[in-house]
Amino acid sequence: METDESERVIPFQLQFDKPAPSQIKLGEWNPEKDLLAMVTEDSKIILHRFNWQRLWTTSPGKCISSLCWRPDGKVIAVGLEDGTISLHDVENGKLLRSMKSHSAAVVCLNWEEDHGHGQDNGENAGSYEDRTLRFFPPAPRVPRMSGVVSGDSTLMDNIEDSFQDLLNTSHQRFNILCSADKDGGICFSIFGIFPIGKINIHSLSLPLNGDQVTYKILHATIYKVALSKDFCRLIIKCCGELFSSSIEFNHGQFAERQTRGMHCLVLDTSLFRKRKQELHQVAQQASNIEDLTEVIRASLSIMYKQWCDAMQIFHDKFHSLSTLIVNNGLDSSPQEEFLSLLGGARTSPPVHQFLVNSLGESGLKRVIKAVSTAAKELQVVLLDHIQPAAEIIGFRMGELRGFSRWPARYGGIGLDEKLIHDATEKVGMLLVQVVRFVQILSSVTPQFSNFFSWLLRCIKILMSDSSDQLPPYNSELVIMFLKFLYDRDPVKLLLDQSMIDHHVHLNEDTIQQVEELVKLGGFADTKCLHRTLAKEFQCMEASFKEAFDMPSTTVSKEIICKQMLPLYSFQSSPPSTPIYVPTSISFFRDVEPDVSTCGTNQEKLVDYISFHIPEWTSAHASNCVCILRGVIDESDCTRNRYTAVEALLLSVSKDLSCVDLSLYKERQIVLLFNGTTAASDSSKNALLMMIQTSDLPFVPLSGSINLNLWNLDQLQDCILPLQTESAKVRSIPHNVIPPLAVSSSRGVGCVFAARKRALVYILEEDEEEEEEEEEEASDMD
């Protein structure tokens, strides 16, 4: 009997206790699969299966400061110390996209997906059909070129399928990635790649009582951000100075107060919900355009490298002729020597020595192969990658242009018709440049081939070999090559980024033809042919940035602070080094029977905010766990403020220190404690605990003016002791460290020990399995 009772005392089954390769500082369970992503102290990302099988390890080469999963579990978002957010494929850890969204370390990430609850006007944000697939073949990818060295080939392997991978997955449902940095900056990105908003917590203010009282947070440090599942609210937990200013009615003077402590802000992001379909459509088109722009950029880079490599071989072989001319005491140029040879004059000693000894037939054939191969590959890249990518971009810009002409729907999210029109015209100009480049390449390549054919014939004659089988050459083309192409490179000039401001000279006839075309309509840029292909691509990119930055700027202005909750003040100065503050924010739907209408249920949105109050802060509530419950009426169309707030404080025993906590499902919270006193029994170093929030007596909080500023101080008189006897408690024979990784969908929790160990516990048994086991036991009896 004693054995059975002792077994019932241990509620959580230990699945395994495994050594970790290094100390773990971050950990997150995959929301869809039995996968655990961990970040080590040396900033390596490790992915394990539930059975602790390691799938892959990768390192971004920089310090990792935050981690989260995309809701479908197919992509991991990693925040870095330098403000970069990188997206990695769950299959192999491959880098999919890297964006410099912040100027400071990304301290927290949160990724929410549209689950289809509460669609506005019966519309489904996922019902938009991308018509591009009707009229165009699959979008081109970054080309693979055989001449690229191994190092560059690896780079292309990393980006070759990345954009297509994102298109195949993240655009299936509308989702938003929210990120925050240590300087108070907060960014929003649709699909994790299209920026749609950027704010700073220091610029937020909460006006009350007709703007007579204003609250702001100064010198803030963000600990947690969480976007609600309906995209209507962003909850921010931060510490900083709560600055309040008020106007005295009698004297018209300002009264100011500052209180340093921990605070909670509720921001209105309801625009994401109200304009979800419009944002989804714009983001889908814009992100596809950005992907195709990357294809063009990489293709131009590859073309430039391919042609430069071929021209380097050409110049390396022919440079020796200039040296031979100088050594023979002549003051002529290589072009003059070749023209003399073409005119039938006697072959000069430097030319004879160059053609027979330095260049030779084999050397010339290597140059011919290099130039002809590069020309063919450039044409393939142009016609199979750049041109179709630009055409698809033009079609997608046309779709956005149609959206922009509906200001009632798309004007509110910043889709500007003029900016979209200008960007669409730049795409057309790029296509014109592509056509001109093809013409120039088609003109240059035959001249190189003709010049090489003449040189090969000359070498054969000088070496007394038969030249009857050689292809004929055109003397006039040889003269044109020596005059215009021997020491000039119009192909490189159009691709070279360092010559991007070069002014291409046009004859008067071409200028007049362009001006006549402008009069017919369709475009207004008469200077396009004076620019290089690289410059035109830069102009197109700049127009895209200007057009796509406008929605982000417009949406950012609509994100405002709606409610503020001062949590607790600091009685003493906080530690000089940043500390980990256990915090958990979750969103649920609470269905309750409506007494006013028979047989119907009333849905309420409930936000749970749980956190630990450190000992060095509030004197009245130190070492307490606070659970806030904000209730929002489902009938409220904005859903951006709480109609009621309830809270409670649980006092933790002095011999326990809260390491971390996490809300688990709707009405449970999992707590992780370390013992603060040395005990002879090492098996009680830490405790894993689960309590039912539905059994706790929450206290309603009274709000101040307009229910915008809540008061938590009233809870100090009703602090409850944390009863370990009525909770599920499991002793852990290790000293533990944060984080506590909990998976609500899988019902597991992972605890990391200070001695590089990972312990996975089953948080709750399957009820059906328990019932089956009880039935089997009764049958056996």
Side-chain angles (χ1 to χ4, degrees), residues 73-93:
K74 297 180 180 179
V75 174
I76 306 174
V78 178
L80 304 181
E81 193 74 22
D82 65 348
T84 302
I85 298 176
S86 60
L87 306 181
H88 295 263
D89 190 352
V90 67
E91 297 294 334
N92 47 30

Side-chain angles (χ1 to χ4, degrees), residues 668-717:
Q668 294 170 317
I669 182 171
V670 180
L671 301 165
L672 184 63
F673 296 100
N674 266 332
T676 58
T677 57
S680 59
D681 187 1
S682 60
S683 64
K684 295 183 180 179
N685 288 341
L687 293 178
L688 182 65
M689 182 185 304
M690 178 187 290
I691 58 177
Q692 296 285 339
T693 59
S694 57
D695 300 334
L696 300 175
F698 282 87
V699 177
L701 297 182
S702 59
S704 63
I705 306 171
N706 298 325
L707 297 180
N708 283 339
L709 188 66
W710 302 92
N711 183 13
L712 193 64
D713 294 338
Q714 58 192 282
L715 293 178
Q716 295 179 0
D717 298 331

Side-chain angles (χ1 to χ4, degrees), residues 54-216:
R54 184 185 298 187
L55 298 181
W56 49 260
T57 302
T58 187
S59 175
K62 300 174 184 177
C63 182
I64 299 176
S65 51
S66 55
L67 177 79
C68 82
W69 286 93
R70 196 169 69 185
D72 63 2
K74 297 180 180 179
V75 174
I76 306 174
V78 178
L80 304 181
E81 193 74 22
D82 65 348
T84 302
I85 298 176
S86 60
L87 306 181
H88 295 263
D89 190 352
V90 67
E91 297 294 334
N92 47 30
K94 180 178 65 175
L95 178 64
L96 298 175
R97 183 73 68 96
S98 182
M99 302 156 293
K100 189 67 179 295
S101 304
H102 298 267
S103 58
V106 183
V107 294
C108 52
L109 294 166
N110 174 247
W111 209 332
E112 275 301 330
E113 184 180 65
D114 176 29
H115 297 280
H117 296 299
Q119 294 290 344
D120 293 332
N121 303 324
E123 295 179 352
N124 186 354
S127 62
Y128 171 66
E129 178 191 4
D130 186 2
R131 300 192 305 164
T132 311
L133 304 178
R134 288 192 195 178
F135 307 105
F136 292 91
R141 301 187 182 185
V142 177
R144 278 180 177 269
M145 305 306 296
S146 58
V148 179
V149 297
S150 58
D152 293 334
S153 178
T154 304
L155 176 62
M156 285 196 302
D157 289 340
N158 287 336
I159 64 176
E160 179 187 12
D161 299 324
S162 60
F163 308 122
Q164 195 66 29
D165 291 341
L166 285 174
L167 294 177
N168 287 339
T169 54
S170 69
H171 292 186
Q172 293 176 1
R173 279 190 175 182
F174 181 77
N175 59 71
I176 296 179
L177 174 64
C178 178
S179 56
D181 61 49
K182 69 175 184 179
D183 290 342
I186 302 174
C187 296
F188 304 88
S189 301
I190 300 178
F191 307 128
I193 55 179
F194 179 66
I196 197 57
K198 186 172 184 178
I199 60 174
N200 194 287
I201 192 173
H202 300 114
S203 63
L204 297 173
S205 61
L206 180 64
L208 300 177
N209 194 20
D211 296 336
Q212 299 298 327
V213 182
T214 302
Y215 289 88
K216 296 186 69 173

Side-chain angles (χ1 to χ4, degrees), residues 3 105 223 300 336 374 684:
T3 304
Y223 287 96
L300 290 174
E336 292 173 342
K684 295 183 180 179

